[in-house]
Protein backbone atom coordinates (compact mmCIF):
# COMPACT_ATOMS: atom_id res chain seq x y z
CA UNK A 1 0.00 0.00 0.00
CA UNK A 2 2.95 2.35 0.63
CA UNK A 3 4.96 2.91 -2.59
CA UNK A 4 7.67 4.75 -0.72
CA UNK A 5 8.22 1.75 1.57
CA UNK A 6 8.78 -0.48 -1.47
CA UNK A 7 11.60 1.83 -2.54
CA UNK A 8 13.13 2.50 0.86
CA UNK A 9 13.14 -1.12 2.05
CA UNK A 10 15.51 -2.07 -0.78
CA UNK A 11 18.00 0.73 -0.20
CA UNK A 12 20.66 1.26 2.43
CA UNK A 13 20.96 4.89 1.31
CA UNK A 14 18.28 6.99 -0.33
CA UNK A 15 19.22 10.41 -1.73
CA UNK A 16 16.34 12.80 -2.26
CA UNK A 17 16.23 16.52 -2.97
CA UNK A 18 14.05 19.63 -2.59
CA UNK A 19 11.61 19.91 0.28
CA UNK A 20 7.99 20.60 -0.56
CA UNK A 21 6.05 18.32 1.77
CA UNK A 22 7.21 15.49 3.98
CA UNK A 23 5.70 12.06 4.47
CA UNK A 24 7.05 9.71 7.11
CA UNK A 25 6.42 5.97 6.78
CA UNK A 26 5.36 4.02 9.88
CA UNK A 27 7.45 0.98 8.94
CA UNK A 28 10.83 2.69 8.37
CA UNK A 29 10.64 6.11 9.97
CA UNK A 30 12.28 7.55 6.84
CA UNK A 31 11.24 11.07 5.84
CA UNK A 32 10.43 11.19 2.14
CA UNK A 33 10.72 14.60 0.54
CA UNK A 34 8.71 15.32 -2.57
CA UNK A 35 10.39 17.06 -5.53
CA UNK A 36 8.56 19.92 -7.23
CA UNK A 37 9.73 22.29 -9.95
CA UNK A 38 9.00 25.29 -7.73
CA UNK A 39 11.27 24.02 -4.99
CA UNK A 40 13.98 23.16 -7.52
CA UNK A 41 14.02 26.77 -8.69
CA UNK A 42 14.28 27.96 -5.10
CA UNK A 43 17.19 25.60 -4.45
CA UNK A 44 19.36 27.00 -7.24
CA UNK A 45 22.14 29.23 -5.94
CA UNK A 46 24.41 31.62 -7.79
CA UNK A 47 28.09 30.68 -8.01
CA UNK A 48 28.76 34.19 -6.65
CA UNK A 49 27.61 33.06 -3.21
CA UNK A 50 30.79 30.99 -2.72
CA UNK A 51 34.10 32.78 -3.36
CA UNK A 52 36.07 29.55 -3.69
CA UNK A 53 33.68 27.96 -6.16
CA UNK A 54 33.33 31.19 -8.15
CA UNK A 55 37.11 31.22 -8.63
CA UNK A 56 36.99 27.59 -9.74
CA UNK A 57 34.28 28.25 -12.33
CA UNK A 58 36.07 31.38 -13.54
CA UNK A 59 39.31 29.47 -14.03
CA UNK A 60 37.52 26.69 -15.93
CA UNK A 61 36.05 29.34 -18.24
CA UNK A 62 39.40 31.06 -18.82
CA UNK A 63 41.12 27.74 -19.57
CA UNK A 64 38.72 27.02 -22.46
CA UNK A 65 37.92 30.55 -23.67
CA UNK A 66 39.66 33.15 -25.84
CA UNK A 67 38.00 36.05 -23.99
CA UNK A 68 40.93 37.37 -21.94
CA UNK A 69 43.33 36.84 -24.84
CA UNK A 70 41.14 38.85 -27.22
CA UNK A 71 40.38 41.59 -24.67
CA UNK A 72 44.13 42.01 -24.14
CA UNK A 73 44.60 42.18 -27.92
CA UNK A 74 42.01 44.99 -27.99
CA UNK A 75 43.94 46.78 -25.25
CA UNK A 76 47.19 46.61 -27.24
CA UNK A 77 45.68 47.66 -30.56
CA UNK A 78 43.00 50.22 -29.63
CA UNK A 79 43.77 51.65 -26.20
CA UNK A 80 46.90 53.64 -27.18
CA UNK A 81 44.84 55.85 -29.49
CA UNK A 82 42.04 56.15 -26.92
CA UNK A 83 44.38 57.12 -24.07
CA UNK A 84 46.82 59.35 -25.96
CA UNK A 85 44.93 62.57 -25.19
CA UNK A 86 44.39 61.74 -21.52
CA UNK A 87 46.72 62.88 -18.75
CA UNK A 88 48.99 65.10 -20.86
CA UNK A 89 51.00 67.52 -18.74
CA UNK A 90 49.98 65.98 -15.40
CA UNK A 91 52.41 64.29 -13.00
CA UNK A 92 49.92 61.57 -11.99
CA UNK A 93 47.59 59.34 -13.99
CA UNK A 94 44.69 57.98 -11.91
CA UNK A 95 43.03 54.68 -12.85
CA UNK A 96 40.00 53.03 -11.26
CA UNK A 97 39.25 49.36 -11.97
CA UNK A 98 35.80 48.11 -10.95
CA UNK A 99 35.40 44.34 -10.60
CA UNK A 100 39.01 43.76 -11.63
CA UNK A 101 39.01 40.04 -10.87
CA UNK A 102 42.43 38.40 -11.24
CA UNK A 103 43.85 41.47 -12.97
CA UNK A 104 45.05 40.29 -16.40
CA UNK A 105 43.24 43.03 -18.42
CA UNK A 106 44.25 45.62 -15.80
CA UNK A 107 47.92 44.78 -16.25
CA UNK A 108 47.59 45.29 -20.00
CA UNK A 109 45.93 48.68 -19.40
CA UNK A 110 48.80 49.74 -17.15
CA UNK A 111 51.33 48.65 -19.77
CA UNK A 112 49.60 50.80 -22.39
CA UNK A 113 49.50 53.83 -20.07
CA UNK A 114 53.21 53.40 -19.28
CA UNK A 115 54.06 53.19 -22.98
CA UNK A 116 52.22 56.49 -23.63
CA UNK A 117 53.27 58.32 -20.47
CA UNK A 118 56.58 56.69 -19.42
CA UNK A 119 57.53 59.33 -16.83
CA UNK A 120 54.11 59.77 -15.20
CA UNK A 121 53.30 58.22 -11.82
CA UNK A 122 50.27 55.94 -12.00
CA UNK A 123 47.85 55.38 -9.13
CA UNK A 124 45.78 52.25 -9.81
CA UNK A 125 42.76 51.78 -7.52
CA UNK A 126 41.41 48.22 -7.60
CA UNK A 127 37.83 47.48 -6.50
CA UNK A 128 37.13 43.74 -6.18
CA UNK A 129 35.04 42.02 -3.46
CA UNK A 130 36.38 38.46 -3.88
CA UNK A 131 39.46 38.11 -1.66
CA UNK A 132 40.67 35.09 -3.62
CA UNK A 133 40.68 37.06 -6.88
CA UNK A 134 42.47 39.95 -5.17
CA UNK A 135 45.15 37.51 -3.98
CA UNK A 136 45.59 36.23 -7.56
CA UNK A 137 45.86 39.82 -8.80
CA UNK A 138 48.56 40.61 -6.23
CA UNK A 139 50.51 37.52 -7.30
CA UNK A 140 50.33 38.73 -10.89
CA UNK A 141 51.64 42.17 -9.91
CA UNK A 142 54.52 40.61 -7.96
CA UNK A 143 55.62 38.71 -11.08
CA UNK A 144 55.81 41.81 -13.29
CA UNK A 145 58.81 44.08 -13.55
CA UNK A 146 58.78 47.74 -14.51
CA UNK A 147 55.88 48.83 -12.33
CA UNK A 148 58.04 50.88 -9.99
CA UNK A 149 56.09 54.06 -10.72
CA UNK A 150 52.71 52.35 -10.22
CA UNK A 151 50.97 52.56 -6.85
CA UNK A 152 48.26 49.98 -6.19
CA UNK A 153 45.39 50.77 -3.84
CA UNK A 154 43.40 47.67 -2.94
CA UNK A 155 39.71 48.09 -2.15
CA UNK A 156 38.28 44.70 -1.19
CA UNK A 157 34.62 45.61 -1.61
CA UNK A 158 31.90 45.57 -4.25
CA UNK A 159 30.95 48.42 -6.54
CA UNK A 160 27.98 49.57 -4.42
CA UNK A 161 30.08 49.62 -1.24
CA UNK A 162 32.75 51.68 -2.98
CA UNK A 163 30.13 54.10 -4.30
CA UNK A 164 28.64 54.55 -0.82
CA UNK A 165 32.11 55.14 0.61
CA UNK A 166 32.86 57.83 -1.98
CA UNK A 167 29.54 59.57 -1.35
CA UNK A 168 30.52 60.03 2.31
CA UNK A 169 33.55 62.09 1.30
CA UNK A 170 33.41 65.87 1.07
CA UNK A 171 35.14 65.64 -2.29
CA UNK A 172 35.54 62.42 -4.25
CA UNK A 173 38.79 61.61 -6.02
CA UNK A 174 38.75 62.03 -9.79
CA UNK A 175 40.17 59.60 -12.32
CA UNK A 176 41.66 59.82 -15.81
CA UNK A 177 40.48 56.35 -16.76
CA UNK A 178 37.82 54.08 -15.25
CA UNK A 179 37.10 50.57 -16.51
CA UNK A 180 34.22 48.15 -15.92
CA UNK A 181 35.21 44.88 -17.55
CA UNK A 182 32.45 42.26 -17.46
CA UNK A 183 31.11 43.59 -14.15
CA UNK A 184 27.88 45.51 -14.80
CA UNK A 185 25.97 42.22 -14.52
CA UNK A 186 26.61 42.37 -10.76
CA UNK A 187 25.00 45.71 -9.87
CA UNK A 188 21.43 46.53 -8.89
CA UNK A 189 20.98 49.57 -11.16
CA UNK A 190 23.12 49.89 -14.28
CA UNK A 191 22.06 53.43 -15.14
CA UNK A 192 22.71 54.80 -11.66
CA UNK A 193 26.07 53.01 -11.53
CA UNK A 194 27.26 54.41 -14.87
CA UNK A 195 26.03 57.89 -14.00
CA UNK A 196 27.87 57.94 -10.67
CA UNK A 197 31.20 56.61 -11.91
CA UNK A 198 31.12 58.80 -15.01
CA UNK A 199 30.91 61.74 -12.58
CA UNK A 200 34.27 60.63 -11.11
CA UNK A 201 36.09 61.19 -14.40
CA UNK A 202 38.42 64.13 -14.84
CA UNK A 203 37.85 66.43 -17.79
CA UNK A 204 38.65 64.49 -21.01
CA UNK A 205 38.73 61.24 -19.03
CA UNK A 206 37.42 57.97 -20.44
CA UNK A 207 35.15 55.22 -19.12
CA UNK A 208 35.64 51.75 -20.63
CA UNK A 209 32.75 49.28 -20.37
CA UNK A 210 33.15 45.72 -21.63
CA UNK A 211 29.89 43.79 -21.82
CA UNK A 212 28.35 40.90 -23.75
CA UNK A 213 27.82 41.56 -27.44
CA UNK A 214 24.23 41.29 -28.65
CA UNK A 215 25.32 38.38 -30.87
CA UNK A 216 26.81 36.45 -27.95
CA UNK A 217 25.33 33.03 -27.23
CA UNK A 218 25.27 34.03 -23.58
CA UNK A 219 23.06 37.01 -24.38
CA UNK A 220 20.65 34.85 -26.38
CA UNK A 221 20.55 32.23 -23.61
CA UNK A 222 19.78 34.82 -20.93
CA UNK A 223 17.15 36.55 -23.03
CA UNK A 224 15.25 33.22 -23.19
CA UNK A 225 16.01 31.64 -19.80
CA UNK A 226 17.26 34.52 -17.67
CA UNK A 227 14.16 34.73 -15.48
CA UNK A 228 14.58 31.04 -14.58
CA UNK A 229 18.36 31.08 -14.21
CA UNK A 230 18.48 34.24 -12.16
CA UNK A 231 18.98 33.45 -8.47
CA UNK A 232 21.36 36.04 -7.08
CA UNK A 233 20.74 38.48 -4.26
CA UNK A 234 23.69 40.54 -5.46
CA UNK A 235 22.21 41.83 -8.71
CA UNK A 236 18.99 42.52 -10.59
CA UNK A 237 17.67 40.42 -13.45
CA UNK A 238 17.96 43.44 -15.76
CA UNK A 239 21.67 43.74 -14.93
CA UNK A 240 22.38 40.01 -15.07
CA UNK A 241 21.08 39.78 -18.64
CA UNK A 242 22.55 43.06 -19.93
CA UNK A 243 24.25 43.28 -23.32
CA UNK A 244 25.74 46.02 -25.47
CA UNK A 245 22.45 47.43 -26.78
CA UNK A 246 21.14 47.74 -23.20
CA UNK A 247 24.18 49.82 -22.23
CA UNK A 248 23.84 51.96 -25.35
CA UNK A 249 20.24 52.77 -24.41
CA UNK A 250 21.42 53.88 -20.95
CA UNK A 251 24.18 56.06 -22.41
CA UNK A 252 21.75 57.71 -24.81
CA UNK A 253 19.35 58.50 -21.95
CA UNK A 254 22.25 60.03 -20.02
CA UNK A 255 23.29 62.06 -23.07
CA UNK A 256 26.83 60.66 -23.12
CA UNK A 257 29.10 60.32 -26.16
CA UNK A 258 30.58 56.88 -26.81
CA UNK A 259 32.20 54.50 -29.31
CA UNK A 260 31.62 50.75 -29.66
CA UNK A 261 34.28 48.20 -30.60
CA UNK A 262 33.55 44.52 -31.31
CA UNK A 263 35.73 41.87 -29.64
CA UNK A 264 35.09 38.35 -30.98
CA UNK A 265 35.51 35.56 -28.44
CA UNK A 266 34.64 31.87 -28.18
CA UNK A 267 34.52 29.07 -25.64
CA UNK A 268 34.93 25.32 -26.10
CA UNK A 269 31.95 23.85 -24.18
CA UNK A 270 32.16 20.30 -25.57
CA UNK A 271 32.63 18.75 -22.11
CA UNK A 272 29.32 20.22 -20.92
CA UNK A 273 27.54 17.52 -22.90
CA UNK A 274 29.44 14.70 -21.16
CA UNK A 275 27.15 14.22 -18.17
CA UNK A 276 29.65 12.50 -15.87
CA UNK A 277 32.50 14.94 -16.66
CA UNK A 278 33.50 16.87 -13.53
CA UNK A 279 35.03 19.67 -15.58
CA UNK A 280 31.98 19.68 -17.86
CA UNK A 281 29.70 20.24 -14.88
CA UNK A 282 31.92 23.08 -13.64
CA UNK A 283 31.76 24.64 -17.12
CA UNK A 284 27.96 24.32 -17.08
CA UNK A 285 27.83 26.05 -13.69
CA UNK A 286 30.06 28.82 -15.03
CA UNK A 287 27.84 29.24 -18.07
CA UNK A 288 24.53 29.30 -16.18
CA UNK A 289 25.93 31.07 -13.09
CA UNK A 290 24.27 28.34 -10.99
CA UNK A 291 26.09 26.03 -8.56
CA UNK A 292 25.42 22.35 -9.38
CA UNK A 293 23.10 23.33 -12.21
CA UNK A 294 22.83 19.79 -13.60
CA UNK A 295 21.61 18.50 -10.21
CA UNK A 296 19.47 21.38 -8.98
CA UNK A 297 17.78 22.71 -12.12
CA UNK A 298 14.25 21.53 -12.94
CA UNK A 299 14.36 18.93 -15.74
CA UNK A 300 12.62 21.15 -18.29
CA UNK A 301 15.01 24.05 -17.63
CA UNK A 302 18.06 21.80 -17.85
CA UNK A 303 16.86 20.25 -21.11
CA UNK A 304 16.00 23.65 -22.56
CA UNK A 305 19.38 25.17 -21.70
CA UNK A 306 21.38 22.22 -23.04
CA UNK A 307 19.34 22.27 -26.25
CA UNK A 308 19.75 26.06 -26.65
CA UNK A 309 23.51 25.80 -26.25
CA UNK A 310 23.71 23.58 -29.33
CA UNK A 311 21.64 25.85 -31.58
CA UNK A 312 23.51 27.63 -34.40
CA UNK A 313 22.66 31.09 -33.05
CA UNK A 314 24.61 30.23 -29.87
CA UNK A 315 27.30 27.77 -30.92
CA UNK A 316 29.06 26.27 -33.92
CA UNK A 317 30.45 22.78 -34.39
CA UNK A 318 34.09 22.58 -35.41
CA UNK A 319 36.30 19.48 -35.61
CA UNK A 320 33.84 17.58 -33.43
CA UNK A 321 33.81 20.31 -30.78
CA UNK A 322 30.98 22.62 -29.71
CA UNK A 323 32.21 26.21 -29.72
CA UNK A 324 30.07 28.74 -27.84
CA UNK A 325 29.99 32.37 -29.01
CA UNK A 326 31.15 34.58 -26.11
CA UNK A 327 31.83 37.75 -28.10
CA UNK A 328 31.88 41.00 -26.15
CA UNK A 329 31.65 44.70 -26.95
CA UNK A 330 33.96 47.43 -25.68
CA UNK A 331 32.21 50.75 -25.13
CA UNK A 332 34.41 53.83 -24.63
CA UNK A 333 32.53 56.73 -23.02
CA UNK A 334 33.80 60.32 -23.17
CA UNK A 335 33.69 62.81 -20.34
Amino acid sequence: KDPFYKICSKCQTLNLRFVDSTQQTKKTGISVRIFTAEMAAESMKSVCEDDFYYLKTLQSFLDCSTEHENIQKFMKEKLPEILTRIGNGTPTFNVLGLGSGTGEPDIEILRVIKSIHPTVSIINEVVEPNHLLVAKYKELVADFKGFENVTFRWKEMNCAEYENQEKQKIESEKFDFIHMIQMLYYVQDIEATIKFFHSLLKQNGKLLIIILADSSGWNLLWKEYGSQLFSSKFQSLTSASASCSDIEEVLKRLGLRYQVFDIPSEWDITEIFIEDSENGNILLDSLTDITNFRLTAPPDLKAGVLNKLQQPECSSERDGKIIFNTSVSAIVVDK
Side-chain angles (χ1 to χ4, degrees):
K1 293 180 180 180
D2 187 345
F4 294 117
Y5 176 69
K6 292 178 182 178
I7 297 172
C8 299
S9 62
K10 297 179 181 179
C11 302
Q12 289 184 325
T13 302
L14 181 64
N15 294 317
L16 298 165
R17 298 179 278 125
F18 312 123
V19 178
D20 177 51
S21 60
T22 300
Q23 295 185 24
Q24 191 170 51
T25 68
K26 296 178 180 179
K27 295 184 179 180
T28 64
I30 296 175
S31 294
V32 178
R33 297 178 172 186
I34 311 302
F35 170 86
T36 68
E38 291 78 8
M39 289 308 298
E42 290 177 11
S43 76
M44 294 194 301
K45 293 183 179 180
S46 170
V47 296
C48 298
E49 296 185 35
D50 183 330
D51 285 354
F52 289 93
Y53 192 63
Y54 177 78
L55 177 58
K56 191 173 185 177
T57 60
L58 174 63
Q59 193 58 56
S60 73
F61 165 69
L62 295 177
D63 289 344
C64 303
S65 166
T66 63
E67 182 179 293
H68 269 197
E69 175 187 341
N70 290 348
I71 286 177
Q72 289 177 32
K73 182 181 179 183
F74 163 79
M75 304 293 188
K76 291 177 183 177
E77 295 178 354
K78 301 296 183 181
L79 265 193
E81 181 181 352
I82 293 167
L83 296 179
T84 296
R85 295 182 293 276
I86 303 176
N88 289 328
T90 60
T92 304
F93 195 104
N94 294 81
V95 182
L96 174 62
L98 297 164
S100 289
T102 52
E104 287 86 354
D106 295 38
I107 295 298
E108 197 57 52
I109 290 170
L110 296 175
R111 280 175 162 172
V112 171
I113 295 171
K114 280 179 59 63
S115 69
I116 299 170
H117 306 292
T119 61
V120 168
S121 295
I122 302 170
I123 298 176
N124 186 49
E125 195 144 310
V126 179
V127 178
E128 170 56 55
N130 188 316
H131 70 285
L132 297 173
L133 301 187
V134 172
K136 288 283 187 182
Y137 193 148
K138 289 180 178 179
E139 289 175 10
L140 192 63
V141 171
D143 290 338
F144 275 86
K145 307 299 179 185
F147 279 0
E148 292 79 11
N149 65 332
V150 181
T151 300
F152 289 87
R153 294 178 178 172
W154 307 99
K155 305 290 183 178
E156 201 169 298
M157 59 183 70
N158 63 36
C159 181
E161 290 167 338
Y162 183 84
E163 180 177 339
N164 291 335
Q165 176 181 281
E166 288 301 302
K167 286 179 176 178
Q168 301 305 313
K169 296 179 180 179
I170 296 175
E171 185 175 353
S172 294
E173 188 168 358
K174 300 293 184 180
F175 297 90
D176 298 285
F177 187 64
I178 299 174
H179 55 87
M180 304 172 169
I181 300 175
Q182 295 283 53
M183 61 72 62
L184 280 174
Y185 319 111
Y186 304 103
V187 302
Q188 290 289 341
D189 186 328
I190 287 179
E191 184 164 335
T193 299
I194 291 176
K195 183 177 181 180
F196 173 76
F197 284 101
H198 185 267
S199 74
L200 298 186
L201 286 172
K202 296 179 184 178
Q203 192 61 37
N204 298 321
K206 302 286 185 184
L207 168 64
L208 171 65
I209 299 169
I210 293 184
I211 197 88
L212 284 178
D214 291 343
S215 62
S216 166
W218 240 323
N219 178 47
L220 299 173
L221 180 72
W222 273 86
K223 289 295 188 261
E224 184 165 345
Y225 292 104
S227 61
Q228 297 176 70
L229 292 172
F230 179 71
S231 65
S232 176
K233 60 187 177 183
F234 303 108
Q235 59 198 134
S236 68
L237 175 57
T238 302
S239 301
S241 59
S243 64
C244 182
S245 59
D246 299 310
I247 305 305
E248 287 191 77
E249 288 178 12
V250 168
L251 296 174
K252 288 172 184 175
R253 285 198 298 270
L254 293 173
L256 302 176
R257 299 189 310 273
Y258 65 90
Q259 285 180 281
V260 179
F261 301 85
D262 296 324
I263 305 176
S265 174
E266 57 186 29
W267 182 13
D268 181 356
I269 62 169
T270 309
E271 281 193 82
I272 282 177
F273 302 95
I274 304 172
E275 190 164 345
D276 59 354
S277 167
E278 180 182 356
N279 188 54
N281 286 324
I282 295 171
L283 290 174
L284 184 57
D285 292 355
S286 178
L287 193 149
T288 59
D289 199 40
I290 300 295
T291 300
N292 294 324
F293 176 79
R294 200 184 299 274
L295 293 177
T296 62
D300 58 338
L301 175 59
K302 180 172 65 175
V305 166
L306 291 173
N307 178 62
K308 184 71 174 179
L309 294 179
Q310 298 179 79
Q311 299 307 307
E313 63 267 29
C314 290
S315 302
S316 58
E317 191 168 342
R318 193 185 312 152
D319 299 325
K321 296 181 178 180
I322 299 174
I323 307 299
F324 188 60
N325 179 356
T326 56
S327 296
V328 296
S329 297
I331 306 172
V332 179
V333 187
D334 299 333
K335 175 63 174 180

